[in-house]
């Protein structure tokens, strides 16, 4: 049987992917978050119930660390200028066929709580229930925030939504 | 068409995220076939999902940076000493009790195929300054994967940090008739021990610890399932036995 440490190791790539998406592609900051998450998880392994979902537990730890960071950053007013509504973004350079940078930019402009939910569901493939447990909110809240996140993305990418989104594929 | 429950916005999201029951999924699909607007919306959500994967999935195959390796934290002083003393005592008792567990002809096979090659490999590489290992502990995951593949069985590099030994790395070695893996560990004072792992004729037997001391190198060796293990070093027998126990324990985990 695998030790818990080994099981934790298997989740590192996914934790890294999520952190990278959450922190808008900032590699150093994302790996920093993963490292903090691993350290905290390993120091609290005894608190993890063996029959429970290790992955959800790790994501819960990462969420808490992320929220703490946001609060710290907020007190330094880095995030206070976060726009509530996203205006339509400038059209992407025509040379870029994938339009992924535009999607990344639109995502990074979402409210942090909406971005987290969108990424946990769309990227990590977690169920609404798992996401609700990780974030400590009701399942209905997860669903309504997810809907808002997608709606905002749609508006942000609009202007040429049909064209740009077809190109995302 | 009418549905027992009307199709809602939430259904469309849950449909995209694969979170509907098969029955409800079918209803949503029927609805989408009749409603181009809803179908466009669903396609849009799917495109976003795929776009996110295209953006961030490459992270999954990136090599891990060294600071993200997972090793159990060293315990605090008194606990560590107590634990070490406990292991030495327990090890001495067990080692003595289990010694006759290896039957004579298996014993000679083990010596020829496991202990002597292990002790020799230890002598060759433990003194090596420039190239003690082939793959360093910085690439531990790669090392384990590689050696597991070459030995055709999953192997592990147990953590001995609790006893002050850090993993240096490992290498693949030709043994008498098969391949072997060697992991090297080092104490802060430079003291090195090596763990030698290979398959052999003893396949699927299990034995207790045995000890052999030759030419200044002591080796504790045992068999666990298909693999034979030999832990070699120029260290006091009780310390080596305690280390062998830690190795054995972490392999059993």
């Amino acid at each position: 049987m695998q030790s818990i440490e080994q099981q934790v190791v298997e989740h590192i790539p996914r934790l890294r992917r999520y952190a990278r998406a959450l922190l808008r592609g900032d590699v150093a900051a994302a790996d920093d978050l993963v490292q903090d998450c691993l350290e905290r998880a390993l120091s609290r392994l005894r608190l993890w119930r063996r029959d429970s979902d290790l992955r959800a537990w790790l994501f819960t730890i990462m969420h808490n660390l992320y929220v703490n960071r946001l609060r710290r950053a907020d007190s330094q007013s880095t995030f206070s200028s976060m726009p509530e509504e996203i205006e339509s973004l400038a059209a992407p350079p025509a040379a870029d066929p994938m339009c992924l940078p535009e999607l990344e930019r639109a995502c990074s402009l979402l409210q942090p709580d909406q971005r987290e939910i969108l990424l946990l569901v769309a990227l990590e493939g977690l169920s609404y229930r798992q996401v609700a447990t990780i974030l400590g909110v009701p399942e209905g809240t997860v669903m309504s925030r997810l809907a808002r996140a997608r709606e905002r993305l749609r508006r942000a990418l609009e202007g040429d939504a049909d064209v740009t989104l077809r190109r995302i594929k | 068409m009418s549905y027992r429950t009307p199709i809602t916005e939430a259904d469309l999201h849950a449909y995209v995220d694969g979170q509907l029951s098969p029955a409800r999924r079918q209803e949503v699909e029927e609805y989408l076939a009749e409603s181009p607007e809803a179908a466009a919306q669903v396609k849009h959500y799917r495109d976003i999902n795929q776009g996110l994967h295209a953006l961030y999935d490459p992270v999954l195959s990136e090599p891990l940076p060294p600071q993200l390796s997972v090793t159990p934290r060293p315990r605090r002083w008194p606990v560590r000493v107590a634990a070490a003393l406990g292991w030495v005592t327990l090890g001495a008792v067990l080692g003595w009790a289990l010694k006759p567990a290896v039957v004579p002809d298996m014993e000679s096979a083990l010596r020829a195929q496991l202990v002597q090659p292990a002790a020799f490999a230890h002598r060759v590489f433990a003194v090596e300054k420039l190239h003690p290992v082939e793959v360093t502990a910085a690439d531990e995951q790669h090392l384990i994967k590689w050696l597991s593949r070459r030995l055709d069985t999953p192997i592990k590099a147990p953590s001995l940090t609790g006893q002050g030994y850090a993993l240096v790395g490992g290498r693949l070695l030709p043994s008498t008739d098969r391949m072997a893996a060697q992991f090297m560990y080092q104490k802060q004072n430079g003291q090195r021990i090596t763990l030698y792992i290979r398959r052999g004729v003893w396949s699927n037997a299990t034995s207790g610890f045995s000890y052999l001391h030759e030419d200044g190198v002591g080796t504790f060796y045992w068999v666990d399932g298909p693999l034979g293990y030999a832990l070699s070093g120029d260290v006091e027998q009780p310390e080596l036995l305690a280390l062998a126990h830690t190795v054995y324990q972490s392999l059993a985990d």
Side-chain angles (χ1 to χ4, degrees):
Chain A
M1 203 186 124
Q2 281 189 316
S3 69
I4 311 177
E5 280 93 352
Q6 278 176 309
Q7 292 178 48
V8 170
V9 167
E10 285 177 3
H11 290 290
I12 296 177
R14 290 182 132 181
L15 289 168
R16 288 187 82 212
R17 173 175 68 178
Y18 176 62
R20 190 79 61 86
L22 203 54
L23 297 174
R24 310 151 198 219
D26 184 336
V27 180
D31 279 344
D32 224 40
L33 183 62
V34 176
Q35 192 179 357
D36 285 357
C37 174
L38 291 174
E39 275 170 15
R40 186 173 284 201
L42 289 175
S43 68
R44 296 178 180 193
L45 270 185
R46 259 175 253 118
L47 298 180
W48 176 65
R49 290 199 337 271
R50 277 178 183 263
D51 55 340
S52 67
D53 183 348
L54 179 63
R55 187 172 171 214
W57 185 68
L58 291 170
F59 275 94
T60 306
I61 293 174
M62 187 173 270
H63 161 71
N64 292 335
L65 289 166
Y66 173 66
V67 168
N68 288 345
R69 278 182 189 211
L70 281 184
R71 283 206 193 104
R72 270 206 309 275
D74 202 30
S75 67
Q76 294 158 12
S77 79
T78 313
F79 285 90
S80 54
S81 59
M82 185 74 71
E84 176 60 27
E85 293 295 326
I86 300 166
E87 298 308 319
S88 184
L89 298 170
D96 178 22
M98 295 293 287
C99 235
L100 293 176
E102 199 196 0
L103 174 66
E104 186 170 36
R105 188 157 162 239
C107 259
S108 74
L109 290 172
L110 289 173
Q111 294 285 311
D113 56 351
Q114 291 177 9
R115 190 164 65 241
E116 268 196 292
I117 286 173
L118 179 71
L119 293 173
L120 288 171
V121 171
L123 188 60
E124 296 306 320
L126 295 168
S127 71
Y128 298 157
R129 181 167 300 172
Q130 282 174 308
V131 175
T133 311
I134 288 169
L135 302 180
V137 297
E139 215 174 310
T141 307
V142 169
M143 293 171 77
S144 62
R145 283 186 192 164
L146 176 68
R148 274 210 298 278
R150 281 183 170 141
E151 200 44 42
R152 283 194 178 162
L153 276 187
R154 197 172 66 78
R155 255 182 295 159
L157 295 166
E158 214 144 60
D160 220 353
D162 285 347
V163 180
T164 54
L165 284 165
R166 210 173 296 139
R167 275 196 261 129
I168 280 171
K169 272 205 144 163
Chain B
M1 189 181 283
S2 65
Y3 302 94
R4 266 171 299 162
T5 322
I7 306 289
T8 63
E9 188 79 4
D11 284 315
L12 298 184
H13 288 278
Y15 173 73
V16 169
D17 298 322
Q19 308 209 12
L20 290 179
S21 68
R24 188 64 174 163
R25 193 168 61 227
Q26 175 120 30
E27 287 182 347
V28 170
E29 272 164 8
E30 285 163 11
Y31 171 75
L32 290 175
E34 295 170 353
S35 164
E37 205 172 309
Q41 199 178 343
V42 160
K43 181 184 176 303
H44 183 142
Y45 296 160
R46 279 228 168 98
D47 287 342
I48 290 175
N49 285 13
Q50 286 171 4
L52 288 172
H53 279 286
L55 275 170
Y56 299 110
D57 279 359
V59 179
L60 294 176
S61 44
E62 283 177 14
L64 288 186
Q67 78 267 23
L68 294 185
S69 69
V70 170
T71 43
R73 280 29 347 225
R75 280 180 246 165
R76 272 169 297 124
W77 238 95
V79 182
R80 209 159 78 204
V81 171
L85 286 175
W87 279 123
V88 171
T89 316
L90 179 68
V93 173
L94 275 180
W96 179 81
L98 292 173
K99 198 167 164 60
V102 178
V103 292
D105 56 347
M106 186 165 144
E107 176 67 31
S108 63
L110 281 177
R111 285 202 184 193
Q113 296 186 355
L114 181 67
V115 188
Q116 282 157 1
F120 183 60
H122 178 85
R123 273 192 210 99
V124 171
F125 294 111
V127 295
E128 179 63 45
K129 292 225 160 47
L130 288 178
H131 308 292
V133 294
E134 212 167 349
V135 177
T136 65
D139 289 321
E140 190 179 346
Q141 277 202 309
H142 163 69
L143 173 68
I144 304 298
K145 245 195 205 159
W146 170 54
L147 292 175
S148 296
R149 200 179 63 237
R150 291 310 303 269
L151 267 64
D152 200 23
T153 184
I155 60 169
K156 300 196 231 179
S159 169
L160 297 174
T161 48
Q163 275 133 299
Y165 283 88
L167 181 68
V168 181
R171 60 169 71 238
L172 183 69
L173 290 169
S175 191
T176 49
D177 56 344
R178 308 221 179 172
M179 278 175 278
Q182 185 193 51
F183 292 116
M184 185 180 290
Y185 296 84
Q186 185 171 321
K187 238 183 183 171
Q188 208 136 32
N189 64 11
Q191 177 77 55
R192 284 171 171 173
I193 55 172
T194 56
L195 176 65
Y196 187 93
I197 307 173
R198 58 157 290 177
R199 283 169 181 269
V201 292
W202 52 78
S203 76
N204 291 318
T206 298
S207 78
F209 289 118
S210 296
Y211 181 72
L212 193 72
H213 190 272
E214 269 180 350
D215 300 330
V217 175
T219 300
F220 269 104
Y221 58 101
W222 68 96
V223 174
D224 193 2
L227 294 173
Y229 297 88
L231 187 70
S232 304
D234 182 15
V235 295
E236 293 294 323
Q237 192 180 344
E239 191 193 353
L240 195 61
L241 180 58
L243 288 160
H245 268 287
T246 306
V247 171
Y248 180 81
Q249 285 283 324
S250 64
L251 293 170
D253 272 347

